[in-house]
Amino acid sequence: MRIIIKNTSGKPIYEQIKEQIKEAILSDDLSEGDILPSIRQLASELKISVVTTTRAYSDLEQEGFIVNIQGKGCYVSPKDSELVREQLLRKIEDGFAAAINAAKIAKLPQKELFQMLKSMLEGNPYE
């Protein structure tokens, strides 16, 4: 797993770490039971504060993506299908919101936006 921090992203570093680990879990790059780098190791590799990595791991644990076993480390939790579904639905909503905002800026009529979505679905069947 490789985490890339972008100082120009506008997002806090802990949020960037959290999002990249979540993405790795949701895309099966990290599987149930995989061990994550220790908080200190990750902080050292990224050249950031231990407090920052602690915050990212703490948030991931609260959201159910990882489990911290005292003295052993942090591991990827078993996937809860409802949790995964909820995260993916949120990603879809975020993508739609971004598309709608871009369409408004471009002054694209709703009808054309729907047609674009329809065309994309036809070109990328997912069923």
Side-chain angles (χ1 to χ4, degrees), residues 24-70:
I25 293 169
L26 291 173
S27 66
D28 288 327
D29 288 340
L30 288 173
S31 303
E32 176 183 340
D34 285 353
I35 189 165
L36 298 174
S38 74
I39 290 171
R40 292 186 190 286
Q41 179 185 0
L42 185 59
S44 175
E45 287 174 9
L46 298 176
K47 295 177 179 32
I48 59 174
S49 165
V50 170
V51 173
T52 302
T53 54
T54 300
R55 170 78 187 267
Y57 278 23
S58 176
D59 285 1
L60 286 165
E61 186 172 24
Q62 287 177 357
E63 294 176 23
F65 285 94
I66 66 172
V67 61
N68 184 5
I69 301 173
Q70 192 66 30

Side-chain angles (χ1 to χ4, degrees), residues 4-5 7 10 12 31 39 46 50 52 55 60 67 70 72 78 80 84 86 91 99 103 114-115:
I4 300 169
I5 302 300
N7 293 324
S31 303
I39 290 171
L46 298 176
V50 170
T52 302
R55 170 78 187 267
L60 286 165
V67 61
Q70 192 66 30
K72 293 193 176 190
D80 175 351
V84 170
E86 191 60 37
K91 267 183 107 167
F114 286 130
Q115 185 58 44

Side-chain angles (χ1 to χ4, degrees), residues 73-87:
C74 292
Y75 296 84
V76 176
S77 296
K79 278 191 183 175
D80 175 351
S81 60
E82 277 302 308
L83 175 68
V84 170
R85 179 172 163 63
E86 191 60 37
Q87 292 293 321

